[in-house]
Each structure stands twice: as structure tokens, then as C-alpha cells.
Amino acid sequence: MPDELGAREPERGVSLRSSSGVQQTLSVPLGIFAGSGKGLVRVVWFGKSAANNPRTSPNTLTRLARSSNPDVVESVARNPSTPPSVLSALAASTSERTLVAVAANPSTPVQILHGLMDHRSLAVRQALAGNTATPPVALEHLAKARGASSQTLVAVAANPGADPKTLAWLAGVRSPEKMEILKALAGNRASSTWTRASILGVDSLRELVFQTEPSEPVDVRIGLTELPYPRKAVLTVLAHDKDDRVR
């Protein structure tokens, strides 16, 4: 475990039996039991459940990050309440499971997310592509990287944090998952009116285009209605705009 998390605390192994009769041993830092006479009850909560719970205190999450139990550490790395400093430390892990969780966590510092965009693990890059906190420049890099997977392209297409120009580029990309990419773009509020208009030719996606409320500024959309020669598809999209000022 990275030095930033401090020395690993001694752990206590507790055997637990589920209602179905399956027995397992859970390792939890001894500090978790301090001052409690209900260790066996608390260990159930302070194990993976605590690591998963967004209401768990930052101090407890920091302790749990030192656990030798990979399930607990992965859950800490995925928890949005985990302190950024702990997530930064976990980003140095050699465990792919932990790194995927860090890459998917919206609380992970931007510089860490940026640093993961060229990671050798496809799973890490895909998790990064789906994280709404991933910087737009990193999302563009992931989408345009040579050999980018279809899953990565779909994840970027669905990400509301992506730059509208990146989304427009994705509308024209060739991929075995072209329909999934277009569906993601149709439902993405960050897609520009021009991008949404380019999808209208797909009958099965027209309603999704009309139902999705865009984040594109109202004045930009109004400006499109005043173009000398607006495209028919653009006017069709704007005619279904939820804002009266645009329609």
C-alpha cells in the first residue's frame, strides 16, 4: 500500500457465517474495534459495507484503505466520500480492481484522472471514459486513441462532461457499436443541436433526441433559428425544444 496512507494497522480476522451456511473470514484493522464490546456486530458493518457506504467518515475510510482485504480496498476506492488524498494514494496500486474503482470515482482528483488516460489496462480506460469528472481533454484523448474499444467510445458518447466537439466527432465515427454510440449521443445533454440533428435520420432515436433537454445555452439555440439557410433537421430539433423561447 502506498506510503501516503501510512503504515498498515494490525488486523483481526473474524469468521462469519451467512444465513445460507457459507463461512468466510473478514480482515479488518484492529482500530475499528477500539472501545467497542460489540466487535462481531460492528465488523459486519465496518467491513465492505462501511467501505461502500457514502456516509462512512473520511477517517474510517482512510483506515479501511489500509486493509489487506482487496474487496474492502476496492470499495474504498469506489466510495465518493473517500478523501482525495486517499484516492491519489490508491492510484499507485498495482491492483487493476482498485485502479478501475479509482478511475470511476468522481471524487478522484482531476490530475489523477488525467494521468490514467494512457493506462495499459482497457478496464481502467473504460472506467475513466464513464466518469463525469474526467477532464474533457482526457475524454477526447480516450475517444480518439488508436484502437479505442467500442465500449470506450459509447462511454464517452454518454458522458455529459465531454466537449460537444468530441461528441460531434463521435457521431461520424465508424464502429461495430455505431447504433449504441448514436443512442448515447441522443441521450446526452451535452450533445449540440447539430449533433442531435445528425441523428434524426435514425427513426428509432428520434423520440430520444426530442425528449433530451440540452445543456447547450439557450441563446446559441435561438441563434440557430436565425441562420440564413438553416438545415431542416436542425429546425426540426429546435421545434421540439422544451424552452418556449427557442420553439
Side-chain angles (χ1 to χ4, degrees):
M1 187 60 60
D3 292 340
E4 288 85 346
L5 294 178
R8 177 175 289 161
E9 295 184 43
E11 295 182 328
R12 172 178 174 179
V14 179
S15 294
L16 301 173
R17 188 181 299 277
S18 68
S19 58
S20 61
V22 178
Q23 184 167 337
Q24 63 176 347
T25 300
L26 181 66
S27 297
V28 175
L30 282 178
I32 294 300
F33 295 93
S36 173
K38 300 179 180 179
L40 286 176
V41 175
R42 295 192 72 199
V43 72
V44 178
W45 194 83
F46 273 113
K48 190 174 180 181
S49 295
N52 274 319
N53 193 328
R55 293 183 297 176
T56 299
S57 72
N59 286 340
T60 297
L61 288 168
T62 300
R63 270 181 170 171
L64 290 170
R66 304 177 189 132
S67 173
S68 61
N69 186 320
D71 291 336
V72 172
V73 176
E74 178 187 0
S75 295
V76 171
R78 198 174 296 279
N79 194 321
S81 295
T82 296
S85 59
V86 173
L87 292 170
S88 296
L90 290 174
S93 172
T94 57
S95 165
E96 184 181 54
R97 292 170 55 188
T98 298
L99 288 175
V100 167
V102 169
N105 195 327
S107 296
T108 298
V110 169
Q111 64 269 27
I112 298 298
L113 295 175
H114 191 280
L116 291 172
M117 66 182 184
D118 285 316
H119 197 277
R120 64 180 181 277
S121 168
L122 175 60
V124 170
R125 298 196 304 274
Q126 288 178 355
L128 193 65
N131 189 341
T132 56
T134 299
V137 65
L139 291 173
E140 179 182 11
H141 179 84
L142 289 166
K144 296 183 178 181
R146 185 174 182 179
S149 70
S150 296
Q151 293 91 334
T152 296
L153 295 178
V154 172
V156 174
N159 197 320
D163 189 298
K165 292 181 180 179
T166 300
L167 299 178
W169 178 85
L170 282 168
V173 76
R174 293 183 179 182
S175 168
E177 300 297 328
K178 179 71 173 185
M179 281 298 297
E180 289 302 312
I181 292 173
L182 292 179
K183 183 177 180 180
L185 291 171
N188 191 337
R189 297 184 65 243
S191 291
S192 69
T193 299
W194 287 99
T195 298
R196 297 162 65 215
S198 71
I199 302 171
L200 282 188
V202 183
D203 290 342
S204 62
L205 298 178
R206 289 175 68 89
E207 281 306 311
L208 180 57
V209 170
F210 296 148
Q211 291 171 7
T212 301
E213 187 172 353
S215 57
E216 187 177 53
V218 171
D219 59 338
V220 172
R221 284 152 34 215
I222 292 176
L224 291 174
T225 67
E226 299 170 350
L227 291 176
Y229 303 103
R231 284 177 52 187
K232 182 178 179 180
V234 170
L235 292 178
T236 301
V237 170
L238 296 174
H240 288 79
D241 201 288
K242 297 181 183 299
D243 194 308
D244 293 339
R245 293 169 293 175
V246 177
R247 291 199 304 273

